[in-house]
């Protein structure tokens, strides 16, 4: 399988999570066609990929207003039609319903959405491993 990663990161946590996921997928025998920013996607790597992974971070206030960063940019990705897509979101304290909102943005692209997972910033390695296991399982079942 081939995967492309589209990532938005503010402090580097989401980028580190994407790198961990890419490394885990490589260990599973997958190849990574590219890793680029959502706002400047490497369209060739997306076209070559069997699965596209979209990652961003949670912004908003602690008690309310949490949302995925770059949700509008994600919803308008032109190359996602008919692609299988999984998504992840990093957060620090509370993510609220932001993962669900990210899923809505990904679905708005016309992608075949596989699912998503929250990755807490102080558990990146463990959560990236869980994401990889779920992704590999979902792809094998489809």
């Amino acid at each position: 399988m081939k995967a492309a990663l589209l990532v938005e990161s503010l402090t580097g946590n989401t980028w580190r999570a994407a790198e961990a996921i890419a490394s885990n997928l490589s260990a599973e025998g997958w190849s990574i066609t590219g890793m680029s920013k959502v706002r400047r996607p490497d369209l060739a790597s997306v076209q070559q990929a069997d699965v596209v992974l979209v990652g961003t971070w949670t912004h908003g206030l602690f008690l309310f207003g949490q949302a995925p960063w770059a949700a509008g940019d994600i919803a308008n990705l032109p190359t996602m039609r008919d692609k299988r897509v999984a998504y992840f979101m990093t957060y620090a304290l509370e993510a609220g319903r932001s993962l669900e909102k990210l899923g809505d943005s990904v679905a708005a692209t016309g992608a075949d959405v596989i699912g998503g997972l929250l990755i807490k910033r102080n558990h990146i390695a463990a959560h990236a491993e869980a994401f990889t296991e779920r992704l590999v399982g979902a792809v094998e079942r489809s």
Side-chain angles (χ1 to χ4, degrees):
M1 294 298 293
K2 295 184 231 172
L5 289 92
L6 301 176
V7 184
E8 283 297 324
S9 187
L10 177 66
T11 62
N13 289 323
T14 310
W15 198 263
R16 280 190 294 282
E19 288 174 333
I21 291 165
S23 177
N24 293 341
L25 288 172
S26 292
E28 292 285 332
W30 289 40
S31 61
I32 305 302
T33 62
M35 194 160 103
S36 58
K37 293 184 177 186
V38 167
R39 292 183 173 170
R40 284 183 278 142
D42 176 353
L43 300 179
S45 73
V46 171
Q47 289 174 339
Q48 295 168 9
D50 301 306
V51 178
V52 178
L53 309 177
V54 176
T56 191
W57 52 279
T58 304
H59 77 99
L61 302 174
F62 173 66
L63 295 175
F64 58 90
Q66 299 94 347
W69 182 257
D73 295 312
I74 292 165
N76 290 309
L77 286 167
T79 59
M80 304 297 273
R81 298 228 176 270
D82 301 321
K83 286 285 182 180
R84 290 186 286 179
V85 178
Y87 54 94
F88 61 95
M89 175 175 283
T90 58
Y91 71 104
L93 299 171
E94 178 62 45
R97 294 184 50 216
S98 54
L99 187 66
E100 179 183 331
K101 293 174 185 176
L102 178 56
D104 292 344
S105 292
V106 171
T109 68
D112 176 12
V113 179
I114 297 172
L117 186 71
L118 287 171
I119 297 177
K120 191 161 185 173
R121 73 174 178 191
N122 57 348
H123 297 290
I124 288 175
H127 290 174
E129 188 173 323
F131 179 85
T132 303
E133 289 173 6
R134 289 181 186 183
L135 174 62
V136 169
V139 169
E140 288 174 353
R141 286 188 299 276
S142 63

